[in-house]
Each structure stands twice: as C-alpha cells, then as structure tokens.
Amino acid sequence: AQSVSQHNHHVILSEAASLELGCNYSYGGTVNLFWYVQYPGQHLQLLLKYFSGDPLVKGIKGFEAEFIKSKFSFNLRKPSVQWSDTAEYFCAVKPGGSYIPTFGRGTSLIVHP
Amino acid sequence: SQTIHQWPATLVQPVGSPLSLECTVEGTSNPNLYWYRQAAGRGLQLLFYSVGIGQISSEVPQNLSASRPQDRQFILSSKKLLLSDSGFYLCAWSVSTSGTEAFFGQGTRLTVV
C-alpha cells in the first residue's frame, strides 16, 4: 500500500518568509497528488492538485507545488507567507485508478505577524 | 453545486453508549463516500469507504461500522463506544470516476467520557 511522508510536523515562520513543506510518497505507478489546507475551525479544503501535464502546479492563495517523479516528491511552496496562512497542511496521494487518497500526517504552520 | 452535510458538529457520549454520525451529499449522484478519523499529529486515517449503496469497505478493524442505506447517505455507527473512539471524524465524497479530489464535511468532534 502507498504511504505519504510529511517531514515537517511543525513550522513556525514570520510574515514574508518563504515556505516549503516536504511531501514524499511511496508508490511506483501513476499517481494523483493533492495538498489540502485546514484553517483553524474550518473544514479541509483543496489547495492544489496534480493529475498530469506540467509538474509545476499553481493553486489558490499564491501556493504552488512541484511534482518530481524521480524523487517521489510533491513539495508545497509559497514565496512569501502571510499571517492568514496559519493552518494545517496535508499532502495526499491517490494511485491512478484508485478511489482512495492516502494522507500524510500533516504539517502545522504558524505564521507570526 | 455539490454540498456535503455532516452532523452533529460536536458530541459527548458516555462509554458503552451507541453512536450514529450521519453524512449526506447533495447535488451529485453515485458519489464515492469516505469516513476518516483525524487525530492530532497523526493525519487522516481512512476508516471506511463506499463506491455504491450497500457497498462498504473497511480499512481498519475497530469498534465502528458504516452503512450506506441511500445513494448519498453515509452513516458511521458503533454499538458500544470506547474511550479510544474519541476523536474528530470527517466525512468526504468524490466523483465516482477515479481521477478526482475528495471534498470534506465540517467534521464531528466526538468525546467519549
């Protein structure tokens, strides 16, 4: 079965700092990749997704992620974070043809104003 | 547009009591349905998923069961709650074809006392 590793469990940044959250997965075949965000008190919502094509994916709120197949990675980036980016971020992987996304443990991001 | 409703939002139940959490989806037909449990620092654990009425797959053996009595209704149940059942439960749905993301409900915070 596939697994997803998010290496940073807690990240604390100041506003305007750059962000990169790591995500690695273990699955050798075709995958669909996702980043979800959960703002305090809110439900999980999709930040961005990769199915095929350009490995650099742009999402909402200035986030982007790059799929590097050779490294089995799908890292999330934002050049300049804001206080409102404080949230928990989850990486998810779904093998092509599967109905079931597997989630990482999540990364808690705190941005200080 | 599609919406997902999950209730109740919070629930406090004594040990040994039964449980019934309900989730309904509107605006789509034949969705894939999921129950996840979210624990702090442990990400989202898939409990059950369903690809059709009466079709339930269990990912983790435990004190819970799921049912899908109607196309867009997914119920999480227990006959006798344990303290370890406390947690945050999330319902989600996705389009029945495999290459799509999951959409999450608001979640239910269950505390077993």
Side-chain angles (χ1 to χ4, degrees):
Chain A
Q2 67 274 12
S3 64
V4 181
S5 297
Q6 290 183 242
H7 312 296
N8 317 101
H9 296 158
H10 300 280
V11 175
I12 301 174
L13 295 172
S14 298
E15 275 194 319
S18 64
L19 170 72
E20 181 161 2
L21 302 182
C23 174
N24 287 90
Y25 64 93
S26 63
Y27 183 76
T30 302
V31 291
N32 303 145
L33 300 159
F34 311 87
W35 276 98
Y36 285 83
V37 61
Q38 188 175 33
Y39 297 105
Q42 296 189 27
H43 66 283
L44 271 163
Q45 54 189 286
L46 186 69
L47 202 53
L48 48 79
K49 61 185 178 183
Y50 171 81
F51 286 163
S52 63
D54 189 343
L56 184 61
V57 179
K58 295 192 182 299
I60 59 173
K61 302 185 180 184
F63 286 91
E64 66 179 29
E66 184 175 14
F67 171 48
I68 303 179
K69 188 175 181 179
S70 61
K71 295 184 177 181
F72 300 91
S73 69
F74 190 54
N75 292 353
L76 181 70
R77 300 193 294 250
K78 185 171 184 179
S80 177
V81 295
Q82 300 172 311
W83 173 79
S84 58
D85 293 324
T86 294
E88 191 146 12
Y89 293 81
F90 294 91
C91 180
V93 173
K94 187 166 65 168
S98 168
Y99 298 115
I100 305 170
T102 299
F103 286 80
R105 292 175 59 177
T107 297
S108 173
L109 172 66
I110 297 175
V111 180
H112 289 301
Chain B
S1 63
Q2 302 89 357
T3 56
I4 179 169
H5 302 280
Q6 186 182 340
W7 69 92
T10 59
L11 189 60
V12 179
Q13 291 283 99
V15 169
S17 65
L19 172 73
S20 181
L21 302 182
E22 189 161 343
C23 173
T24 60
V25 180
E26 295 178 357
T28 188
S29 59
N30 195 32
N32 299 321
L33 295 171
Y34 312 85
W35 279 110
Y36 284 88
R37 179 162 55 198
Q38 183 180 4
R42 296 180 62 185
L44 276 71
Q45 179 187 37
L46 179 66
L47 302 176
F48 302 94
Y49 71 95
S50 171
V51 299
I53 295 175
Q55 299 178 60
I56 309 294
S57 296
S58 173
E59 290 295 300
V60 183
Q62 55 200 309
N63 188 39
L64 301 169
S65 62
S67 62
R68 185 172 178 172
Q70 300 179 43
D71 181 43
R72 291 169 289 176
Q73 184 185 29
F74 205 25
I75 297 172
L76 183 69
S77 304
S78 174
K79 292 182 179 178
K80 288 186 178 182
L81 283 168
L82 306 171
L83 286 173
S84 58
D85 292 323
S86 293
F88 191 57
Y89 291 85
L90 290 164
C91 180
W93 74 273
S94 68
V95 176
S96 58
T97 52
S98 61
T100 61
E101 66 269 31
F103 300 91
F104 285 84
Q106 296 278 7
T108 297
R109 173 73 60 192
L110 171 66
T111 304
V112 183
V113 296

